[in-house]
């Protein structure tokens, strides 16, 4: 609908550049609303398919902090009785990786952004721990992988939630400006 309205605006203008500040403002708002509407349609088609195809963890946006806190708690329980070597690895690598939500635009283009690099650290470290800590290391790796999927969900859902803020206010402003334009033409 927005694209069709944008086309009608171009026809109304006679496919010429607008004149005056108000004309340029209407044209800019029309262009912004049309392009952001098309971007929104693309996001609404692409992002859910991306999440369904590549992510294994289901996430409700509002519960993300709770889910991450649960992963941190599980990691703490996993570390009970761990060796000093594993504890140092946990303090340096795992604990910071599990701390807080780190949303990123990169998840829009690659859902597994940075995942292999971060998880490869666990494989490299595996040779330095005893047999008693190998299962703990696997559990910690699983928790970090789940946390990264939660972050991917959070980032992608956040993009979908931010899009209306970029589209709806300018669209409402455009409607008001069009009403003012029509009133000006009819009454002046």
């Amino acid at each position: 609908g927005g694209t069709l309205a944008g086309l009608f605006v171009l026809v109304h203008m006679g496919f010429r550049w607008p004149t005056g500040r108000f004309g340029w403002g209407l044209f800019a708002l029309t262009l912004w609303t049309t392009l952001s509407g098309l971007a929104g349609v693309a996001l609404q088609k692409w992002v859910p398919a991306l999440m369904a195809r590549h992510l294994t963890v289901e996430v409700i946006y509002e519960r993300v902090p709770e889910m991450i806190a649960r992963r941190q708690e599980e990691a703490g329980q996993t570390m009970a009785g761990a060796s000093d070597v594993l504890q140092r690895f946990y303090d340096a690598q795992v604990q910071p990786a599990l701390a807080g939500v780190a949303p990123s635009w990169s998840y829009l283009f690659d859902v597994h952004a940075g995942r292999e690099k971060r998880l490869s650290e666990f494989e490299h470290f595996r040779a330095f721990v005893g047999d008693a800590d190998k299962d703990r290391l696997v559990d910690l790796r699983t928790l970090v992988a789940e946390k990264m999927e939660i972050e991917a969900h959070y980032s992608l859902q956040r993009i979908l939630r931010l899009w209306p803020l970029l589209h709806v206010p300018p669209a409402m402003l455009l409607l008001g400006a069009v009403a003012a334009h029509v009133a000006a033409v009819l009454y002046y």
Side-chain angles (χ1 to χ4, degrees):
T3 305
L4 188 59
L7 180 62
F8 288 156
V9 166
L10 290 175
V11 169
H12 173 71
M13 292 171 25
F15 294 98
R16 288 176 279 137
W17 292 112
T19 58
R21 278 189 250 162
F22 192 73
W24 276 104
L26 277 172
F27 182 68
L29 281 172
T30 300
L31 191 62
W32 178 268
T33 303
T34 301
L35 294 177
S36 66
L38 290 172
V41 168
L43 285 172
Q44 289 174 359
K45 299 284 184 201
W46 183 16
V47 169
L50 190 67
M51 288 190 295
R53 195 174 328 120
H54 296 288
L55 299 175
T56 59
V57 177
E58 295 267 338
V59 176
I60 297 172
Y61 183 81
E62 290 80 10
R63 295 190 60 205
V64 166
E66 171 190 330
M67 293 176 78
I68 289 179
R70 194 172 329 130
R71 298 311 182 277
Q72 291 169 333
E73 184 179 309
E74 287 178 35
Q77 292 170 356
T78 300
M79 289 302 296
S83 67
D84 289 339
V85 173
L86 184 59
Q87 186 65 48
R88 283 193 301 264
F89 177 75
Y90 175 77
D91 292 340
Q93 301 292 331
V94 178
Q95 203 168 23
L98 291 175
V101 183
S104 173
W105 285 93
S106 64
Y107 288 118
L108 188 59
F109 305 105
D110 181 13
V111 175
H112 299 294
R115 176 187 172 108
E116 296 308 318
K117 181 182 179 223
R118 183 173 287 173
L119 295 180
S120 69
E121 295 169 357
F122 288 88
E123 295 307 318
H124 290 38
F125 190 72
R126 187 175 179 80
F128 300 106
V129 295
D131 291 337
D133 284 336
K134 289 193 192 251
D135 287 340
R136 284 188 181 98
L137 190 63
V138 169
D139 291 344
L140 292 174
R141 182 188 187 280
T142 301
L143 290 170
V144 170
E146 288 175 357
K147 195 257 187 178
M148 292 178 74
E149 286 208 3
I150 292 168
E151 281 180 343
H153 263 284
Y154 180 81
S155 298
L156 294 171
Q157 290 182 38
R158 185 174 173 211
I159 290 168
L160 288 175
R161 289 171 180 256
L162 289 175
W163 169 79
L165 297 176
L166 298 173
H167 178 71
V168 175
M172 293 296 113
L173 188 59
L174 176 61
L175 284 174
V178 166
H181 175 64
V182 169
V185 168
L186 289 177
Y187 297 111
Y188 293 105

